[in-house]
Amino acid sequence: MTQTGDDTTQTETENTTAQSATTGLWAADTESWGATTSPRTEDTVGADGSVSTARTAWTRQAAAFGVRTLRELFRNRAALVWGLLAPVFFFLVFGVALGEPGVARGANAVVFGVFGSFSVSLVIFATALSADLKAKRYRKLRSLPVAPSADVLGRFVGGLALSVVSFGLVLAVGVVTDGTLRLRSVVSVPVVLASLVLFCLLAMGLAVLVASVLDDGEYVVGVTNMVTLALFFLTGFNGLVPGMAPGPLGGLVNWLPNSLATRLAVYYLVPVGSGAGTPLVPPSLPLGWTWAGLLVAYAAVSVTAGVITMRRAIYDGEGGE
C-alpha cells in the first residue's frame, strides 16, 4: 500500500510539473495564443484519470487554436483581400458586368460566394499553416501535450468564420446589384449552411495535406490557387453551366465536391427550375439524401486524412524542420 501511494504521488508530481511547463510555454506566447485560452494546470493534471478533464483540455486547445486563427486571419490584409474582396471583384466583373440581372445574377452570386469560401478554406488555410511551419512554431507545439485533432478543428472553426463572411458578402452584393435570391423552403438555410460547412471541411483537410508536403510557402500559394481555379473552370463555373465543362466532366458535376456543393446552394437560394430550360441541367440537380451523403463522405475522408497528416507529418514527424 505504501509503495502504491508513493507511485501515485510521484505520478501526480510528474504530471503537475509537465502541466506547469505547459502553462508556462503557452503563457510565454500570449501574443499568438492568448492568455485567456491557455490550459490551466488544475484542468489538465487529471490525478483521478477522469475522462471529463481530458475533454476539457481538448476543448480548450481547440478553442485556443480557433481564437488564434481568427485573430490572424482578420489582421492579415492579404487574407482579407483574397478572401473577401477578390470574390466580390470577380462577381462584379463576371457576374454583373457580363450577366443579366435577376435569377442569372443571383445564381452567379452563389457561385462566386462558394468560390470565395473555397479560396479561404484552401488557399488561406494552407498558407497560414505553412507560415506556422516555416516560423518553426511547431517546435514548441510538439513539446506540449497538444492534440493534433484539436489543432485541425480549431483552425477549421477560425477559417470557417471567414469563409461564411466571404459567402455572405458576395450574396449581399448580389442582392444590391439586382440579383434574385429566394429561399426555396424552410430547410434552405440549414441545407446551404451544412453543405458549406462540409465543403469547407473537405477543403481544409486538403489544405493540411498540401501544407505538410510543400515546404515553400510560395509553392503552397501557387498550388492551392491552381487547384481552386482549375476546379472552378473544369466543372463549368463550379457546376453552374455543365455544358461548358470540357470533355466528359460536364456529366460529373454532381460527383465532384465543389460543383456538388455549389449546385445544392444555387437550388436552395435561387428560384431556378430543376428541369430542362436552365443551364444547370443536364445532368439533373443533385437533390435527395444520396447526394448529401456523398458530400458528408467527402468531408469525412478529407478530415480524417487531414488529422492523420497533422499527427504523423507534423506532430510525430518533423514538419517544418
Side-chain angles (χ1 to χ4, degrees), residues 18 20 46-47 56 69 91 97 102 122 134 136 148 155 205 217 236 240 257 272 278 282 289 307 314:
S20 297
T56 300
T69 300
F91 167 68
L122 179 59
K134 187 176 182 179
K136 311 297 183 186
R155 288 175 180 272
L240 180 65
V272 296
T278 168
W289 290 107
V307 171
I314 297 179

Side-chain angles (χ1 to χ4, degrees), residues 62-74 79-80 83-84 113-129 150-168 196-197 199-201 203-205 207:
F65 278 104
V67 171
R68 189 253 185 176
T69 300
L70 273 174
R71 288 177 176 172
E72 292 230 329
L73 288 181
F74 283 96
L80 296 178
L84 300 181
V114 175
F115 175 81
S117 297
F118 191 33
S119 298
V120 172
S121 303
L122 179 59
V123 182
I124 296 176
F125 186 96
T127 303
L129 178 57
D151 187 340
V152 174
L153 181 66
R155 288 175 180 272
F156 165 72
V157 172
L160 179 64
L162 185 59
S163 296
V164 172
V165 171
S166 176
F167 183 70
L196 192 65
V197 170
F199 182 55
C200 290
L201 277 171
M204 290 179 184

Side-chain angles (χ1 to χ4, degrees), residues 184-256:
R184 186 168 294 274
S185 68
V186 293
V187 302
S188 292
V189 172
V191 167
V192 172
L193 286 178
S195 62
L196 192 65
V197 170
L198 291 170
F199 182 55
C200 290
L201 277 171
L202 184 153
M204 290 179 184
L206 178 60
V208 174
L209 292 174
V210 174
S212 63
V213 171
L214 300 177
D215 294 331
D216 194 321
E218 293 185 0
Y219 288 142
V220 171
V221 174
V223 169
T224 51
N225 269 313
M226 184 173 63
V227 170
T228 305
L229 293 172
L231 286 175
F232 180 78
F233 288 110
L234 289 176
T235 55
F237 308 113
N238 273 357
L240 180 65
V241 189
M244 295 187 69
L249 290 178
L252 301 176
V253 291
N254 288 342
W255 295 92
L256 299 174

Side-chain angles (χ1 to χ4, degrees), residues 62-116:
F65 278 104
V67 171
R68 189 253 185 176
T69 300
L70 273 174
R71 288 177 176 172
E72 292 230 329
L73 288 181
F74 283 96
R75 289 174 179 172
N76 188 326
R77 292 181 181 178
L80 296 178
V81 168
W82 287 106
L84 300 181
L85 298 184
V88 171
F89 172 77
F90 289 134
F91 167 68
L92 292 175
V93 172
F94 297 103
V96 176
L98 302 179
E100 298 292 330
V103 172
R105 188 166 294 174
N108 286 334
V110 175
V111 169
F112 283 100
V114 175
F115 175 81

Side-chain angles (χ1 to χ4, degrees), residues 31-79:
E31 183 177 355
S32 298
W33 298 99
T36 58
T37 55
S38 299
R40 296 181 303 178
T41 299
E42 62 270 25
D43 287 336
T44 55
V45 167
D48 59 354
S50 63
V51 177
S52 60
T53 301
R55 288 176 177 172
T56 300
W58 188 93
T59 304
R60 287 179 178 277
Q61 290 174 6
F65 278 104
V67 171
R68 189 253 185 176
T69 300
L70 273 174
R71 288 177 176 172
E72 292 230 329
L73 288 181
F74 283 96
R75 289 174 179 172
N76 188 326
R77 292 181 181 178

